[in-house]
Amino acid sequence: MAHKAAQWPSEETLLLWKREQARLKARMVDRDTEAWQRDPTFSGLQRVGGVDVSFVNGDSDRACASLVVLSYPELKVVYEDSHMVHLKAPYVSGFLAFREVPFLVELVQRLQEKEPGFMPQVLLVDGNGVLHQRGFGVACHLGVLTDLPCVGVAKKLLQVDGLENNSLHKEKIMLLQAGGDTFPLMGNSGTVLGMALKSHEHSTNPLYVSVGHRVSLEVAVRLTHHCCRFRIPEPIRQADIRSRDYIRRTLGHPGSPAQRQERSQKEQRPKVCPKDGPGAPADQGRPPEDYGRDSSTDLKDPQPGFQEQQKDQQLERTEHHEDSDLPPPPTWVQSPP
DNA sequence: GCGACAG
DNA sequence: ATCTTGTCGC
């Protein structure tokens, strides 16, 4: 009995969600607040985090949430925490945070409690920041709730405030030459909501970078670019790779009975090396029901459009084997600062 | 009915 | 987000 699939939120729920976004938005800071952000070389920046949530096949509510921390500028993984979760809210464009953010916050809290020395100085988030229907995407949401500097990095343009992925936009993309090239995403309001970034020399489709929290757009873009070994910034890419890997190791392949060894949620190994697995503290057993917001399901159809995206991904596949392998990993590879 | 739709 | 093999290119 899989937990029932979430249903489409009621209008009332959507109203509450919008109100929550407006409330939290008042706390968002859209400028640089850290010393390293002012430095041309980001001197002082040592840890960059990345978060992602990967899903289980057809299950609309089972997923693996991952938080990784990479050293900067080496971009080596120094901390990892992957964790199976039960999603309670459906995906609704404009409300991604209500689906994923509770689990991302939990990952940050676990890090704060167990290895505060590994707390990232900035977090790259898979999704938008202020480039959003109401100027408060998941990167802003996570940033405000954790008070960590956050950058929104989306792979597709969210068409809001007059922004359109039309022929004009595609022309601008074609004009991007070298990795690091950008063009501003100006909404009808005249505000620059974000930047399209050619993140890699051989990358066709740009990334859409926007401010999440406690960072300027300029720094957000420069940092994102400096984190790209491939099209997707390494912190997000590693979080994605490891969360997907965790699912494959834990659930095995759907069609093979040999992999029936399903570890239930107890098996979640937090991180640090002490061979003595601390197991689950005691927090994930009973989530407060008054999550307030939840419900409903929804799935999107893939659109038969561009085939270029796969080109970039293939480029990554051909070379990512250098670090994609991780046995039952000891989470971090460096000594605490 | 048609188009849009971060992850 | 997820489903998947081969294929082309350096």
Side-chain angles (χ1 to χ4, degrees):
Chain A
M1 343 215 157
H3 295 267
K4 77 177 179 185
Q7 298 165 26
W8 187 266
S10 63
E11 289 304 319
E12 180 183 350
T13 296
L14 291 177
L15 201 58
L16 290 173
W17 284 359
K18 289 179 186 177
R19 195 185 299 173
E20 179 72 353
Q21 289 176 329
R23 185 178 73 86
L24 295 176
K25 187 180 178 184
R27 294 202 240 159
M28 182 191 62
V29 175
D30 56 357
R31 54 184 174 77
D32 295 321
T33 63
E34 311 302 296
W36 62 264
Q37 295 169 333
R38 302 291 184 181
D39 187 286
T41 67
F42 291 149
S43 172
L45 177 61
Q46 298 171 326
R47 298 175 306 281
V48 180
V51 291
D52 189 43
V53 176
S54 294
F55 301 82
V56 176
N57 253 344
D59 240 317
S60 62
D61 62 342
R62 296 184 65 195
C64 178
S66 286
L67 164 63
V68 299
V69 180
L70 277 61
S71 61
Y72 188 90
E74 298 80 11
L75 301 181
K76 297 304 178 188
V77 176
V78 296
Y79 174 93
E80 169 189 5
D81 187 14
S82 299
H83 183 273
M84 290 301 300
V85 299
H86 282 340
L87 300 177
K88 307 224 165 184
Y91 168 70
V92 180
S93 180
F95 302 95
L96 174 63
F98 294 95
R99 178 166 169 82
E100 300 188 347
V101 118
F103 309 101
L104 302 181
V105 169
E106 183 181 341
L107 288 172
V108 172
Q109 289 176 339
R110 284 160 60 108
L111 172 54
Q112 174 63 45
E113 293 167 6
K114 303 193 175 187
E115 292 295 332
F118 282 96
M119 187 61 63
Q121 292 160 287
V122 58
L123 217 42
L124 300 189
V125 182
D126 203 346
N128 290 296
V130 301
L131 174 44
H132 177 269
Q133 287 91 333
R134 289 161 295 280
F136 198 74
V138 64
C140 301
H141 205 126
L142 181 60
V144 167
L145 292 187
T146 62
D147 203 32
L148 283 174
C150 285
V151 175
V153 181
K155 295 179 286 295
K156 298 175 189 173
L157 176 65
L158 184 55
Q159 304 188 147
V160 297
D161 196 22
L163 292 174
E164 280 184 290
N165 184 20
N166 53 24
S167 55
L168 173 58
H169 180 79
K170 289 166 186 167
E171 283 182 23
K172 292 178 182 175
I173 289 177
M174 290 192 295
L175 291 179
L176 297 175
Q177 294 297 317
D181 283 358
T182 63
F183 65 82
L185 301 167
M186 177 107 52
N188 282 337
S189 54
T191 310
V192 175
L193 300 177
M195 299 280 268
L197 165 71
K198 181 166 181 138
S199 64
H200 187 274
E201 197 66 30
H202 299 293
S203 190
T204 307
N205 295 153
L207 294 178
Y208 297 96
V209 180
S210 59
V211 169
H213 185 52
R214 292 176 58 169
V215 68
S216 66
L217 179 57
E218 294 68 29
V219 167
V221 169
R222 265 175 55 222
L223 175 65
T224 300
H225 178 47
H226 284 311
C227 286
C228 287
R229 295 178 52 200
F230 304 103
R231 179 183 177 234
I232 304 300
E234 212 49 23
I236 291 177
R237 182 169 166 266
Q238 286 300 325
D240 178 66
I241 288 173
R242 288 158 194 261
S243 59
R244 302 229 303 266
D245 224 39
Y246 186 92
I247 288 176
R248 287 183 182 176
R249 282 204 308 268
T250 303
L251 303 179
H253 294 186
S256 76
Q259 296 275 340
R260 194 173 302 177
Q261 301 182 0
E262 297 189 13
R263 315 280 182 181
S264 80
Q265 270 90 31
K266 308 175 181 181
E267 183 70 17
Q268 298 168 9
R269 44 146 183 59
K271 36 217 159 228
V272 198
C273 44
K275 45 204 167 186
D276 180 55
D283 52 315
Q284 52 207 19
R286 297 300 163 196
E289 70 213 13
D290 64 312
Y291 225 175
R293 36 326 236 256
D294 84 290
S295 19
S296 303
T297 64
D298 171 51
L299 289 179
K300 283 190 321 180
D301 288 326
Q303 181 175 357
F306 298 79
Q307 306 167 344
E308 309 178 85
Q309 303 179 358
Q310 300 181 351
K311 199 174 182 181
D312 293 332
Q313 294 176 357
Q314 286 172 2
L315 277 175
E316 294 177 20
R317 312 261 173 190
T318 59
E319 291 203 45
H320 83 13
H321 60 70
E322 57 204 7
D323 45 15
S324 62
D325 60 341
L326 36 154
T331 321
W332 42 284
V333 195
Q334 218 178 25
S335 56

